[in-house]
Amino acid sequence: MLEDKCVTYVLTTQSAIPAGSLAATPQPIIDAEGGLRVLGAVSVWAFGTGFHRLHLDHSFRNAASCRVAEKAGFVLEGTKRSAAIHADGRHDMHLHAWVI
């Protein structure tokens, strides 16, 4: 029987915390180039350990995160309406995925 592996982390200025926790990030933890390197490295590691699908989400308002996700190979799957609470209120979230 195939077993699904799923680990979701949220990068904040303080640390990486499991998803489901509420965290506000006032400043980006890394720039776009650094984000692309980290996302690529984590993806290579995850696929190498048996994951078959990776997904990430970001605020619809964050165009830079959208570009990083797409450059790393993640495909935009859709928009989760009003899915996250940020310091300035509710945000729609883009959902990206990479499936091997």
Side-chain angles (χ1 to χ4, degrees), residues 6-80:
C6 180
V7 178
T8 305
Y9 285 93
V10 177
L11 292 178
T12 71
T13 54
Q14 291 81 31
S15 62
I17 58 172
S21 303
L22 182 61
T25 308
Q27 296 295 322
I29 191 168
I30 48 182
D31 62 9
E33 184 179 320
L36 188 56
R37 283 195 312 270
V38 169
L39 190 52
V42 169
S43 299
V44 167
W45 168 83
F47 288 135
T49 61
F51 286 73
H52 75 279
R53 173 187 167 86
L54 303 178
H55 66 265
L56 61 87
D57 58 10
H58 64 83
S59 173
F60 175 80
R61 300 176 191 177
N62 190 337
S65 287
C66 200
R67 287 189 300 272
V68 167
E70 289 175 343
K71 284 182 180 179
F74 287 76
V75 176
L76 178 63
E77 291 190 330
T79 302
K80 301 186 303 182

